[in-house]
Amino acid sequence: MERKPVVARASYKNQVRNERHLTEIIEMPGRGHSLTVDSGWREVCGTALTFIQRFVDP
């Protein structure tokens, strides 16, 4: 059974209208909603860190 990120997409659609802040969505296939505590959490954290580093001066 394929899982569809319905709640995440609905939240994204709501947030993307906010012109004051950047909103992006990244799908990570094979991961559930507890992706920060499941195995492979380092990949999730790396993805988040890469996003943050795009907006911070070195």
Side-chain angles (χ1 to χ4, degrees):
M1 181 174 148
E2 180 184 348
R3 295 181 185 188
K4 299 192 185 256
V6 177
V7 174
R9 286 186 181 153
S11 180
Y12 171 76
K13 286 179 184 178
N14 204 20
Q15 293 296 323
V16 77
R17 291 182 246 165
N18 183 346
E19 295 177 8
R20 294 181 53 205
H21 300 286
L22 178 66
T23 301
E24 293 181 2
I25 190 167
I26 297 174
E27 291 187 34
M28 302 189 85
R31 303 212 184 271
H33 68 275
S34 58
L35 49 90
T36 58
V37 295
D38 287 341
S39 63
W41 63 267
R42 283 184 171 90
E43 178 188 356
V44 175
C45 291
T47 300
L49 182 59
T50 298
F51 173 83
I52 292 167
Q53 288 173 331
R54 290 175 30 209
F55 305 98
V56 178
D57 290 330

